Structures are given as C-alpha cells and as structure tokens.
Amino acid sequence: MRAHTVTMMIAMGLLTACVPTRQDYDAYVTLLQGSARARSEAVKDCAKGFDANGRRGAGLVTNVSDKDAPRVACERFVAAVVSGRITYDDVVDVKQRRFTPKIIKVFQGR
C-alpha cells in the first residue's frame, strides 16, 4: 500500500503545477517504463487537467480536434518521457509554461 501511495504522490506532482524533484522524476520514469497500466493512468490523469482554453491550444498544436487533443497531447508527452526524449529539464519548462521547439515537436508528434 505504501508503494501505491508514493507512486500516486509522484504522479500527482508531475501532472499538477508542482515541479517535481529530479529524484521524483526519475522514479516516475522508471514506473512508466515498467507498467503499461501506469502509462494509461498517467495519460487519463493528465487529460483531465485541460480546461477549454487548454483543449483549444492543445488542438492547435496536436492538429486534432479539441475534444481529442488532451488525450493525444498527453499520450505523446508520456511516450516522450518513457523514451527519454523528454528530460527532467523539459518537464520543468512545461510546468513553468515555457514551451521550447523540442516540446512543441513532441506535441506535434514529430
């Protein structure tokens, strides 16, 4: 039970406005790499965090409908985290709303 609680705290830190520590990020990446269920839950939790403006912006960047944009953006982001294409520093940039060309390319699926 304790491992589940720690896992959820790490996930919530990454998916909310909080900037995770590098150690939390590394633990979260390890969790995502080893668990398809954790990846699925991360995408679902991430997609819930989009408001109307966020959906519209994500739709523009992902080039999909506003309705599907949160899921697509989150799937692409989680896949990039798992593959190592997105680094801890990139996550910090996203949390601070600094979208670099690298991050935009990830959301565009390139």
Side-chain angles (χ1 to χ4, degrees):
M1 184 66 154
R2 178 166 161 66
H4 176 71
T5 303
V6 171
T7 299
M8 292 310 297
M9 290 175 65
I10 292 169
M12 292 188 66
L14 285 172
L15 298 174
T16 63
C18 303
V19 176
T21 66
R22 189 173 296 274
Q23 183 177 358
D24 287 345
Y25 176 79
D26 291 341
Y28 191 61
V29 170
T30 301
L31 169 69
L32 293 176
Q33 288 171 332
S35 173
R37 183 174 174 193
R39 288 189 300 274
S40 177
E41 288 297 317
V43 169
K44 281 196 285 187
D45 289 343
C46 170
K48 288 179 187 176
F50 283 73
D51 61 10
N53 286 333
R55 284 190 299 276
R56 186 172 43 253
L60 291 170
V61 175
T62 59
N63 198 32
V64 299
S65 71
D66 292 358
K67 177 184 170 222
D68 294 334
R71 179 188 48 78
V72 170
C74 292
E75 285 173 349
R76 291 175 181 174
F77 187 77
V78 169
V81 167
V82 169
S83 73
R85 186 167 177 216
I86 291 285
T87 65
Y88 172 77
D89 294 329
D90 296 323
V91 170
V92 170
D93 284 340
V94 169
K95 293 297 181 185
Q96 295 177 350
R97 301 197 181 271
R98 291 189 307 246
F99 294 95
T100 64
K102 176 182 175 183
I103 294 166
I104 292 170
K105 286 179 182 178
V106 165
F107 286 128
Q108 290 176 330
R110 301 191 292 149

XYZ file of all heavy atoms in Angstrom:
841
model
N 0.820 -1.197 0.000
C 0.000 0.000 0.000
C 0.859 1.255 0.000
O 0.548 2.207 -0.662
C -0.930 -0.040 1.215
C -1.883 1.095 1.262
S -3.036 0.992 -0.117
C -4.386 1.852 0.539
N 1.964 1.215 0.736
C 2.839 2.382 0.799
C 3.407 2.718 -0.577
O 3.474 3.874 -0.964
C 3.964 2.142 1.797
C 4.939 3.303 1.864
C 5.831 3.210 3.087
N 7.020 4.007 2.994
C 7.072 5.318 2.948
N 5.966 6.014 2.960
N 8.212 5.962 2.873
N 3.800 1.711 -1.342
C 4.338 1.946 -2.678
C 3.293 2.613 -3.567
O 3.617 3.506 -4.348
C 4.816 0.639 -3.294
N 2.041 2.187 -3.445
C 0.969 2.794 -4.229
C 0.809 4.265 -3.869
O 0.670 5.105 -4.755
C -0.342 2.044 -3.996
C -1.509 2.659 -4.692
N -1.651 2.611 -6.059
C -2.563 3.366 -4.218
C -2.760 3.259 -6.397
N -3.329 3.718 -5.298
N 0.857 4.588 -2.598
C 0.719 5.970 -2.148
C 1.863 6.826 -2.678
O 1.635 7.928 -3.191
C 0.685 6.030 -0.601
O -0.389 5.218 -0.149
C 0.500 7.438 -0.111
N 3.074 6.333 -2.586
C 4.236 7.077 -3.086
C 4.116 7.284 -4.589
O 4.359 8.378 -5.103
C 5.542 6.335 -2.722
C 6.732 6.956 -3.422
C 5.748 6.335 -1.215
N 3.715 6.248 -5.293
C 3.553 6.327 -6.741
C 2.532 7.396 -7.107
O 2.756 8.197 -8.015
C 3.113 4.964 -7.303
O 4.124 4.014 -7.000
C 2.894 5.024 -8.791
N 1.417 7.395 -6.429
C 0.378 8.382 -6.722
C 0.849 9.799 -6.404
O 0.531 10.738 -7.129
C -0.904 8.057 -5.953
C -1.579 6.787 -6.441
S -1.820 6.703 -8.232
C -2.924 8.067 -8.495
N 1.617 9.966 -5.340
C 2.132 11.297 -4.999
C 3.094 11.788 -6.074
O 3.060 12.954 -6.467
C 2.810 11.262 -3.631
C 1.828 11.087 -2.492
S 2.616 10.907 -0.889
C 3.367 12.509 -0.713
N 3.946 10.901 -6.562
C 4.868 11.272 -7.631
C 4.083 11.657 -8.878
O 4.348 12.688 -9.503
C 5.844 10.109 -7.936
C 6.796 9.888 -6.763
C 6.624 10.380 -9.222
C 7.605 8.609 -6.860
N 3.111 10.841 -9.238
C 2.309 11.111 -10.426
C 1.581 12.432 -10.313
O 1.569 13.231 -11.250
C 1.312 9.976 -10.652
N 0.985 12.690 -9.167
C 0.251 13.941 -8.983
C 1.185 15.137 -9.055
O 0.830 16.173 -9.607
C -0.523 13.913 -7.674
C -1.651 12.900 -7.738
S -2.746 12.964 -6.342
C -3.483 14.545 -6.551
N 2.380 14.999 -8.529
C 3.350 16.091 -8.613
C 3.734 16.396 -10.039
O 3.893 17.554 -10.423
N 3.875 15.372 -10.855
C 4.243 15.585 -12.245
C 3.091 16.124 -13.068
O 3.303 16.833 -14.044
C 4.756 14.285 -12.868
C 6.149 13.877 -12.444
C 6.462 12.482 -12.961
C 7.190 14.852 -12.934
N 1.879 15.779 -12.710
C 0.732 16.154 -13.521
C 0.061 17.441 -13.066
O -0.833 17.925 -13.734
C -0.284 15.007 -13.529
C 0.240 13.708 -14.131
C -0.784 12.605 -13.961
C 0.605 13.891 -15.584
N 0.496 17.987 -11.964
C -0.061 19.253 -11.493
C 0.954 20.355 -11.710
O 1.984 20.146 -12.324
C -0.427 19.174 -9.996
O 0.772 18.947 -9.251
C -1.433 18.074 -9.719
N 0.677 21.513 -11.185
C 1.564 22.651 -11.373
C 2.875 22.525 -10.601
O 3.798 23.278 -10.836
C 0.846 23.930 -10.964
N 2.965 21.569 -9.691
C 4.175 21.400 -8.906
C 5.323 20.935 -9.794
O 5.129 20.105 -10.675
C 3.974 20.356 -7.812
S 2.622 20.722 -6.695
N 6.499 21.455 -9.532
C 7.681 20.992 -10.248
C 8.290 19.863 -9.426
O 8.633 20.050 -8.264
C 8.695 22.139 -10.446
C 9.957 21.620 -11.108
C 8.074 23.260 -11.261
N 8.406 18.671 -10.020
C 8.938 17.535 -9.262
C 10.440 17.672 -9.039
O 11.124 18.381 -9.788
C 8.642 16.349 -10.181
C 8.668 16.934 -11.556
C 8.099 18.320 -11.400
N 10.938 16.986 -8.051
C 12.380 16.918 -7.883
C 12.924 15.965 -8.944
O 12.190 15.154 -9.503
C 12.762 16.388 -6.487
O 12.338 15.020 -6.399
C 12.143 17.222 -5.371
N 14.216 16.042 -9.196
C 14.816 15.147 -10.178
C 14.647 13.689 -9.737
O 14.382 12.809 -10.547
C 16.285 15.484 -10.384
C 16.896 14.725 -11.550
C 18.309 15.177 -11.855
N 18.401 16.546 -12.281
C 18.259 16.973 -13.538
N 18.003 16.110 -14.495
N 18.377 18.253 -13.834
N 14.764 13.444 -8.442
C 14.596 12.085 -7.927
C 13.169 11.588 -8.162
O 12.971 10.441 -8.567
C 14.946 12.038 -6.439
C 14.860 10.652 -5.853
C 15.279 10.623 -4.388
O 15.671 11.633 -3.818
N 15.187 9.460 -3.778
N 12.182 12.435 -7.911
C 10.790 12.054 -8.168
C 10.580 11.773 -9.660
O 9.904 10.818 -10.031
C 9.822 13.147 -7.727
C 9.678 13.253 -6.224
O 10.091 12.318 -5.513
O 9.159 14.289 -5.771
N 11.157 12.615 -10.498
C 11.032 12.428 -11.941
C 11.626 11.084 -12.362
O 11.001 10.321 -13.100
C 11.712 13.577 -12.689
C 11.684 13.387 -14.187
C 10.545 13.671 -14.922
C 12.794 12.898 -14.864
C 10.496 13.473 -16.285
C 12.766 12.698 -16.233
C 11.621 12.991 -16.940
O 11.587 12.790 -18.292
N 12.829 10.799 -11.893
C 13.489 9.541 -12.252
C 12.663 8.335 -11.797
O 12.534 7.343 -12.530
C 14.895 9.471 -11.656
C 15.858 10.456 -12.300
O 15.576 10.944 -13.425
O 16.897 10.758 -11.675
N 12.100 8.407 -10.598
C 11.260 7.317 -10.096
C 10.007 7.167 -10.958
O 9.581 6.050 -11.274
C 10.884 7.561 -8.635
N 9.419 8.275 -11.353
C 8.213 8.252 -12.173
C 8.501 7.658 -13.548
O 7.729 6.849 -14.057
C 7.645 9.661 -12.290
C 6.269 9.724 -12.878
C 5.193 9.100 -12.264
C 6.036 10.417 -14.051
C 3.920 9.170 -12.799
C 4.764 10.490 -14.597
C 3.712 9.862 -13.972
O 2.463 9.938 -14.503
N 9.625 8.037 -14.138
C 10.006 7.483 -15.437
C 10.173 5.972 -15.333
O 9.688 5.218 -16.184
C 11.290 8.151 -15.972
C 11.818 7.414 -17.200
C 11.033 9.609 -16.302
N 10.830 5.526 -14.282
C 11.016 4.088 -14.072
C 9.664 3.391 -13.952
O 9.451 2.325 -14.538
C 11.878 3.834 -12.824
O 13.136 4.467 -13.007
C 12.077 2.351 -12.579
N 8.749 3.987 -13.211
C 7.402 3.425 -13.076
C 6.725 3.338 -14.440
O 6.176 2.294 -14.795
C 6.569 4.296 -12.134
C 5.076 3.995 -12.092
C 4.837 2.644 -11.428
C 4.341 5.096 -11.374
N 6.765 4.406 -15.212
C 6.105 4.422 -16.510
C 6.727 3.428 -17.480
O 6.019 2.789 -18.264
C 6.149 5.830 -17.112
C 5.331 6.895 -16.395
C 5.562 8.254 -17.048
C 3.861 6.551 -16.368
N 8.037 3.286 -17.430
C 8.714 2.360 -18.330
C 8.320 0.908 -18.058
O 8.295 0.098 -18.975
C 10.232 2.511 -18.214
C 10.748 3.789 -18.818
C 12.218 4.036 -18.521
O 12.748 3.586 -17.503
N 12.867 4.769 -19.396
N 8.015 0.600 -16.818
C 7.734 -0.781 -16.459
C 6.276 -1.153 -16.345
O 5.956 -2.294 -16.038
N 5.372 -0.210 -16.606
C 3.963 -0.508 -16.379
C 3.064 0.181 -17.408
O 2.907 1.403 -17.387
C 3.562 -0.057 -14.972
O 2.174 -0.175 -14.784
N 2.489 -0.622 -18.275
C 1.540 -0.085 -19.256
C 0.331 0.525 -18.544
O -0.217 1.536 -18.982
C 1.091 -1.175 -20.220
N -0.071 -0.076 -17.441
C -1.212 0.448 -16.679
C -0.879 1.835 -16.106
O -1.718 2.732 -16.129
C -1.585 -0.513 -15.564
C -2.796 -0.061 -14.795
C -3.242 -1.084 -13.793
N -4.316 -0.520 -12.991
C -4.748 -1.046 -11.887
N -4.223 -2.177 -11.442
N -5.714 -0.481 -11.207
N 0.334 2.005 -15.606
C 0.739 3.312 -15.080
C 0.750 4.357 -16.199
O 0.331 5.496 -15.987
C 2.120 3.223 -14.428
N 1.202 3.971 -17.391
C 1.192 4.903 -18.528
C -0.239 5.300 -18.873
O -0.527 6.476 -19.094
C 1.891 4.284 -19.738
C 3.399 4.195 -19.569
C 4.104 3.773 -20.854
N 3.698 2.473 -21.355
C 4.230 1.319 -20.969
N 5.174 1.296 -20.052
N 3.808 0.180 -21.496
N -1.137 4.324 -18.887
C -2.536 4.595 -19.193
C -3.155 5.535 -18.161
O -3.863 6.489 -18.512
C -3.314 3.281 -19.247
O -4.681 3.518 -19.475
N -2.893 5.279 -16.893
C -3.416 6.137 -15.820
C -2.818 7.542 -15.906
O -3.507 8.530 -15.676
C -3.119 5.526 -14.454
C -3.950 4.301 -14.143
C -5.440 4.599 -14.058
O -5.833 5.619 -13.460
O -6.217 3.797 -14.604
N -1.542 7.631 -16.239
C -0.894 8.942 -16.364
C -1.542 9.749 -17.473
O -1.790 10.953 -17.314
C 0.604 8.766 -16.624
N -1.839 9.113 -18.590
C -2.490 9.805 -19.704
C -3.881 10.269 -19.292
O -4.258 11.418 -19.545
C -2.551 8.907 -20.960
C -3.457 9.504 -22.031
C -1.149 8.668 -21.516
N -4.651 9.392 -18.634
C -6.008 9.766 -18.199
C -5.971 10.938 -17.220
O -6.735 11.886 -17.354
C -6.724 8.575 -17.561
C -7.277 7.596 -18.563
C -8.294 6.657 -17.945
C -7.591 5.623 -17.099
N -8.506 4.581 -16.600
N -5.080 10.864 -16.230
C -4.988 11.939 -15.235
C -4.525 13.243 -15.873
O -5.025 14.313 -15.544
C -4.037 11.546 -14.105
C -4.610 10.466 -13.212
O -5.839 10.233 -13.254
O -3.827 9.841 -12.470
N -3.582 13.147 -16.765
C -3.075 14.325 -17.470
C -4.196 14.989 -18.273
O -4.383 16.201 -18.213
C -1.925 13.899 -18.382
S -1.340 15.143 -19.548
N -4.950 14.194 -19.022
C -6.003 14.727 -19.888
C -7.111 15.418 -19.096
O -7.740 16.354 -19.590
C -6.577 13.611 -20.759
N -7.331 14.981 -17.861
C -8.362 15.608 -17.023
C -7.996 17.040 -16.644
O -8.864 17.817 -16.269
C -8.561 14.804 -15.736
C -9.260 13.495 -15.944
C -9.386 12.752 -14.627
C -9.921 11.361 -14.814
N -9.941 10.617 -13.547
N -6.739 17.396 -16.749
C -6.280 18.713 -16.313
C -6.461 19.825 -17.330
O -6.040 20.951 -17.087
N -7.087 19.560 -18.462
C -7.246 20.571 -19.510
C -8.586 21.287 -19.368
O -9.630 20.647 -19.290
C -7.190 19.912 -20.891
C -5.808 19.541 -21.345
C -5.146 18.464 -20.783
C -5.173 20.270 -22.333
C -3.875 18.110 -21.193
C -3.900 19.928 -22.753
C -3.247 18.840 -22.179
N -8.549 22.610 -19.376
C -9.785 23.389 -19.426
C -10.073 23.707 -20.899
O -9.366 23.235 -21.798
C -9.687 24.654 -18.575
C -8.593 25.611 -19.038
O -8.008 25.407 -20.126
O -8.323 26.578 -18.304
N -11.093 24.513 -21.170
C -11.483 24.804 -22.555
C -10.343 25.468 -23.330
O -10.079 25.110 -24.481
C -12.727 25.687 -22.574
N -9.668 26.415 -22.704
C -8.550 27.080 -23.391
C -7.407 26.101 -23.643
O -6.774 26.142 -24.698
C -8.042 28.271 -22.578
C -8.976 29.443 -22.630
O -9.729 29.612 -23.587
N -8.933 30.277 -21.603
N -7.143 25.244 -22.683
C -6.092 24.245 -22.843
C -6.412 23.257 -23.952
O -5.532 22.873 -24.724
N -7.687 22.857 -24.028
C -8.094 21.944 -25.099
C -7.922 22.596 -26.465
O -7.445 21.967 -27.413
C -9.548 21.497 -24.914
C -9.729 20.469 -23.820
C -11.137 19.872 -23.816
N -12.178 20.860 -23.593
C -12.565 21.292 -22.397
N -12.007 20.820 -21.306
N -13.531 22.177 -22.286
N -8.298 23.860 -26.560
C -8.170 24.578 -27.834
C -6.705 24.704 -28.234
O -6.325 24.429 -29.369
C -8.829 25.954 -27.750
C -8.865 26.689 -29.057
C -9.688 27.978 -29.043
N -9.478 28.808 -27.860
C -10.356 28.962 -26.864
N -11.509 28.348 -26.891
N -10.087 29.729 -25.839
N -5.862 25.097 -27.278
C -4.431 25.226 -27.561
C -3.801 23.898 -27.929
O -3.007 23.799 -28.870
N -4.169 22.853 -27.202
C -3.636 21.521 -27.499
C -4.111 21.052 -28.867
O -3.356 20.409 -29.600
C -4.050 20.533 -26.415
N -5.340 21.402 -29.230
C -5.857 21.035 -30.552
C -5.056 21.672 -31.669
O -4.761 21.031 -32.683
N -4.684 22.925 -31.463
C -3.867 23.610 -32.469
C -2.499 22.962 -32.609
O -2.003 22.771 -33.720
C -3.704 25.092 -32.101
C -4.950 25.958 -32.202
C -4.701 27.321 -31.590
C -5.359 26.091 -33.663
N -1.897 22.633 -31.496
C -0.545 22.086 -31.529
C -0.541 20.641 -32.016
O 0.328 20.244 -32.796
C 0.124 22.193 -30.138
C 1.475 21.510 -30.127
C 0.276 23.647 -29.733
N -1.492 19.843 -31.576
C -1.506 18.418 -31.941
C -2.146 18.161 -33.303
O -2.018 17.073 -33.844
C -2.258 17.584 -30.888
O -3.604 18.069 -30.784
C -1.566 17.630 -29.541
N -2.868 19.163 -33.818
C -3.542 19.063 -35.110
C -4.645 17.993 -35.096
O -4.819 17.239 -36.057
C -2.551 18.796 -36.249
C -3.149 19.122 -37.603
O -3.962 20.017 -37.733
N -2.743 18.376 -38.611
N -5.344 17.914 -33.964
C -6.511 17.038 -33.848
C -7.662 17.867 -33.289
O -7.473 19.024 -32.918
C -6.232 15.809 -32.943
C -5.110 14.952 -33.521
C -5.921 16.205 -31.524
N -8.837 17.289 -33.211
C -9.988 18.021 -32.687
C -9.733 18.430 -31.235
O -8.989 17.755 -30.513
C -11.254 17.160 -32.765
O -11.198 16.122 -31.815
N -10.358 19.523 -30.828
C -10.212 19.988 -29.446
C -10.649 18.909 -28.462
O -10.076 18.782 -27.384
C -11.023 21.266 -29.210
C -10.464 22.473 -29.965
O -9.425 22.326 -30.652
O -11.074 23.551 -29.858
N -11.642 18.125 -28.831
C -12.149 17.059 -27.960
C -11.079 16.002 -27.705
O -10.927 15.519 -26.583
C -13.382 16.414 -28.598
C -13.947 15.256 -27.826
C -15.100 14.610 -28.575
C -15.478 13.327 -27.888
N -15.754 12.255 -28.807
N -10.346 15.627 -28.739
C -9.328 14.581 -28.620
C -7.956 15.108 -28.214
O -7.069 14.329 -27.855
C -9.182 13.837 -29.950
C -10.426 13.058 -30.318
O -11.181 12.669 -29.401
O -10.659 12.839 -31.525
N -7.766 16.399 -28.281
C -6.441 16.994 -28.076
C -5.803 16.679 -26.719
O -4.611 16.346 -26.681
C -6.501 18.498 -28.300
N -6.530 16.761 -25.600
C -5.872 16.461 -24.330
C -5.304 15.046 -24.273
O -4.158 14.833 -23.862
C -6.983 16.652 -23.292
C -7.898 17.642 -23.912
C -7.886 17.288 -25.383
N -6.086 14.068 -24.730
C -5.610 12.682 -24.717
C -4.395 12.514 -25.627
O -3.391 11.919 -25.233
C -6.731 11.733 -25.161
C -6.300 10.258 -25.201
C -7.372 9.370 -25.823
N -7.921 9.854 -27.072
C -7.315 9.758 -28.264
N -6.132 9.192 -28.360
N -7.904 10.221 -29.353
N -4.466 13.074 -26.829
C -3.360 12.939 -27.782
C -2.106 13.625 -27.246
O -1.007 13.056 -27.289
C -3.760 13.507 -29.161
C -2.561 13.596 -30.094
C -4.866 12.656 -29.776
N -2.258 14.842 -26.725
C -1.111 15.566 -26.180
C -0.483 14.790 -25.030
O 0.748 14.650 -24.955
C -1.533 16.963 -25.717
N -1.315 14.253 -24.153
C -0.804 13.507 -23.007
C -0.159 12.190 -23.433
O 0.879 11.808 -22.894
C -1.917 13.269 -21.989
S -2.468 14.795 -21.193
N -0.743 11.513 -24.407
C -0.131 10.277 -24.909
C 1.254 10.553 -25.483
O 2.206 9.817 -25.228
C -1.014 9.639 -25.984
C -2.238 8.957 -25.444
C -3.184 8.471 -26.532
O -3.007 8.842 -27.724
O -4.114 7.720 -26.188
N 1.354 11.619 -26.257
C 2.640 11.966 -26.861
C 3.660 12.372 -25.794
O 4.834 12.004 -25.878
C 2.453 13.077 -27.892
C 1.699 12.596 -29.121
C 1.415 13.724 -30.087
N 0.666 13.227 -31.237
C 0.164 14.007 -32.197
N 0.341 15.322 -32.151
N -0.499 13.472 -33.186
N 3.202 13.127 -24.813
C 4.098 13.574 -23.750
C 4.595 12.388 -22.926
O 5.794 12.251 -22.681
C 3.389 14.600 -22.860
C 4.292 15.223 -21.849
C 5.176 16.209 -22.213
C 4.253 14.822 -20.521
C 6.026 16.798 -21.275
C 5.091 15.394 -19.580
C 5.978 16.395 -19.956
N 3.686 11.517 -22.518
C 4.065 10.347 -21.717
C 5.005 9.449 -22.513
O 6.003 8.959 -21.983
C 2.821 9.593 -21.209
C 3.192 8.240 -20.623
C 2.075 10.434 -20.175
N 4.713 9.232 -23.785
C 5.595 8.401 -24.621
C 6.989 9.009 -24.710
O 7.995 8.291 -24.668
C 4.989 8.233 -26.009
N 7.060 10.323 -24.809
C 8.364 11.001 -24.885
C 9.121 10.903 -23.564
O 10.347 10.770 -23.552
C 8.175 12.457 -25.300
N 8.399 10.960 -22.457
C 9.034 10.792 -21.143
C 9.590 9.377 -21.026
O 10.741 9.178 -20.639
C 8.037 11.087 -19.997
C 8.569 10.610 -18.661
C 7.714 12.577 -19.938
N 8.794 8.395 -21.400
C 9.202 6.992 -21.296
C 10.419 6.708 -22.171
O 11.346 6.011 -21.758
C 8.024 6.050 -21.664
C 8.487 4.617 -21.825
C 6.938 6.146 -20.608
N 10.443 7.271 -23.375
C 11.544 7.011 -24.303
C 12.812 7.783 -23.954
O 13.870 7.494 -24.490
C 11.122 7.370 -25.731
O 11.057 8.781 -25.885
N 12.684 8.773 -23.085
C 13.842 9.602 -22.745
C 13.989 10.825 -23.630
O 14.903 11.622 -23.467
N 13.078 10.986 -24.565
C 13.133 12.163 -25.452
C 12.840 13.446 -24.679
O 13.384 14.494 -24.974
C 12.133 11.979 -26.587
C 12.215 13.053 -27.606
C 11.457 12.690 -28.855
N 11.509 13.810 -29.768
C 10.523 14.171 -30.557
N 9.429 13.448 -30.589
N 10.639 15.206 -31.337
N 11.966 13.355 -23.695
C 11.687 14.466 -22.787
C 12.502 14.221 -21.519
O 12.443 13.141 -20.941
C 10.183 14.538 -22.430
C 9.364 14.954 -23.640
C 9.919 15.466 -21.257
C 9.443 16.410 -23.998
N 13.239 15.229 -21.106
C 14.093 15.123 -19.930
C 13.463 15.844 -18.745
O 12.446 16.529 -18.887
C 15.466 15.755 -20.210
O 15.283 17.178 -20.416
C 16.145 15.133 -21.429
N 14.101 15.702 -17.607
C 13.651 16.416 -16.409
C 13.579 17.919 -16.683
O 12.594 18.571 -16.330
C 14.604 16.129 -15.245
C 14.319 16.981 -14.036
C 13.243 16.685 -13.203
C 15.109 18.081 -13.732
C 12.968 17.470 -12.098
C 14.834 18.869 -12.622
C 13.771 18.562 -11.809
O 13.495 19.343 -10.723
N 14.609 18.464 -17.314
C 14.622 19.904 -17.599
C 13.466 20.314 -18.501
O 12.899 21.400 -18.347
C 15.963 20.318 -18.220
C 17.113 20.169 -17.240
O 16.895 20.328 -16.019
O 18.249 19.898 -17.695
N 13.095 19.447 -19.434
C 11.944 19.732 -20.297
C 10.646 19.765 -19.490
O 9.785 20.612 -19.724
C 11.827 18.678 -21.408
C 13.009 18.695 -22.350
O 13.531 19.782 -22.657
O 13.412 17.591 -22.786
N 10.510 18.843 -18.539
C 9.315 18.820 -17.688
C 9.235 20.105 -16.867
O 8.166 20.702 -16.730
C 9.293 17.574 -16.780
C 8.191 17.669 -15.735
C 9.118 16.321 -17.619
N 10.356 20.558 -16.355
C 10.392 21.818 -15.609
C 9.931 22.956 -16.521
O 9.132 23.807 -16.115
C 11.794 22.083 -15.029
C 11.900 23.494 -14.459
C 12.127 21.049 -13.959
N 10.410 22.981 -17.769
C 9.982 24.016 -18.716
C 8.471 23.973 -18.934
O 7.812 25.012 -18.921
C 10.701 23.852 -20.058
C 12.139 24.328 -20.027
O 12.498 25.111 -19.123
O 12.907 23.917 -20.923
N 7.909 22.788 -19.125
C 6.467 22.663 -19.341
C 5.708 23.158 -18.113
O 4.736 23.903 -18.235
C 6.077 21.201 -19.679
C 4.562 21.015 -19.633
C 6.627 20.805 -21.035
N 6.145 22.754 -16.926
C 5.457 23.169 -15.701
C 5.495 24.679 -15.509
O 4.591 25.259 -14.909
C 6.083 22.485 -14.477
C 5.867 20.997 -14.461
C 4.399 20.673 -14.369
C 4.170 19.181 -14.337
N 2.773 18.842 -14.358
N 6.547 25.309 -16.043
C 6.666 26.767 -15.931
C 6.162 27.475 -17.183
O 6.409 28.654 -17.383
C 8.115 27.136 -15.607
C 8.520 26.621 -14.245
C 9.968 26.898 -13.891
O 10.769 27.325 -14.716
N 10.304 26.658 -12.640
N 5.445 26.707 -18.010
C 4.811 27.218 -19.237
C 5.813 27.836 -20.219
O 5.517 28.814 -20.895
C 3.687 28.189 -18.906
C 2.608 27.536 -18.054
C 1.338 28.329 -18.073
N 0.338 27.720 -17.239
C -0.526 26.802 -17.644
N -0.495 26.386 -18.869
N -1.409 26.304 -16.830
N 6.988 27.234 -20.277
C 7.994 27.608 -21.276
C 8.035 26.470 -22.291
O 8.587 25.413 -22.015
C 9.373 27.784 -20.629
C 9.490 28.971 -19.731
C 10.929 29.190 -19.307
N 11.530 27.997 -18.732
C 11.912 27.874 -17.462
N 11.748 28.865 -16.631
N 12.449 26.759 -17.027
N 7.429 26.699 -23.441
C 7.348 25.655 -24.452
C 8.443 25.872 -25.488
O 8.394 26.810 -26.267
C 5.958 25.638 -25.091
C 4.903 25.232 -24.114
C 4.174 26.179 -23.413
C 4.672 23.893 -23.859
C 3.214 25.802 -22.491
C 3.715 23.500 -22.931
C 2.989 24.457 -22.254
N 9.412 24.987 -25.471
C 10.552 25.058 -26.379
C 10.186 24.381 -27.701
O 9.219 23.615 -27.768
C 11.763 24.347 -25.765
O 11.454 22.957 -25.616
C 12.132 24.948 -24.408
N 10.967 24.632 -28.754
C 10.702 23.934 -30.017
C 10.702 22.403 -29.852
O 9.882 21.718 -30.470
C 11.850 24.390 -30.921
C 12.186 25.748 -30.407
C 12.016 25.643 -28.906
N 11.572 21.883 -29.020
C 11.628 20.438 -28.775
C 10.301 19.942 -28.209
O 9.767 18.930 -28.661
C 12.760 20.139 -27.800
C 12.860 18.688 -27.383
C 13.990 18.533 -26.373
C 14.089 17.153 -25.818
N 15.139 17.063 -24.794
N 9.755 20.636 -27.243
C 8.496 20.230 -26.618
C 7.336 20.342 -27.608
O 6.486 19.463 -27.693
C 8.232 21.058 -25.345
C 9.295 20.729 -24.292
C 6.834 20.810 -24.817
C 9.339 21.701 -23.142
N 7.319 21.401 -28.388
C 6.274 21.573 -29.389
C 6.315 20.437 -30.405
O 5.277 19.884 -30.786
C 6.373 22.952 -30.067
C 6.023 24.045 -29.039
C 5.464 23.038 -31.289
C 6.308 25.444 -29.481
N 7.513 20.040 -30.823
C 7.647 18.925 -31.754
C 7.091 17.633 -31.166
O 6.457 16.845 -31.867
C 9.101 18.732 -32.161
C 9.594 19.790 -33.136
C 11.042 19.556 -33.485
C 11.530 20.637 -34.419
N 12.972 20.469 -34.739
N 7.317 17.425 -29.888
C 6.764 16.226 -29.222
C 5.243 16.279 -29.303
O 4.602 15.291 -29.682
C 7.246 16.131 -27.759
C 6.408 15.117 -26.973
C 8.706 15.761 -27.710
N 4.651 17.406 -28.956
C 3.193 17.522 -29.001
C 2.658 17.401 -30.420
O 1.533 16.960 -30.630
C 2.728 18.825 -28.358
C 2.819 18.821 -26.861
C 3.465 19.848 -26.192
C 2.268 17.812 -26.098
C 3.556 19.857 -24.805
C 2.342 17.812 -24.728
C 2.985 18.839 -24.066
N 3.453 17.784 -31.407
C 3.037 17.654 -32.791
C 3.230 16.231 -33.324
O 2.806 15.930 -34.431
C 3.823 18.629 -33.683
C 3.448 20.063 -33.444
C 4.298 21.015 -34.268
O 5.458 20.731 -34.578
N 3.725 22.154 -34.611
N 3.868 15.403 -32.558
C 4.104 14.029 -32.987
C 5.273 13.895 -33.945
O 5.378 12.917 -34.681
N 6.189 14.859 -33.906
C 7.353 14.822 -34.807
C 8.592 14.422 -34.044
O 8.722 14.560 -32.903
C 7.618 16.190 -35.422
C 6.457 16.706 -36.219
C 6.779 17.915 -37.054
N 7.041 19.100 -36.244
C 7.885 20.062 -36.612
N 8.559 19.963 -37.726
N 8.046 21.117 -35.875
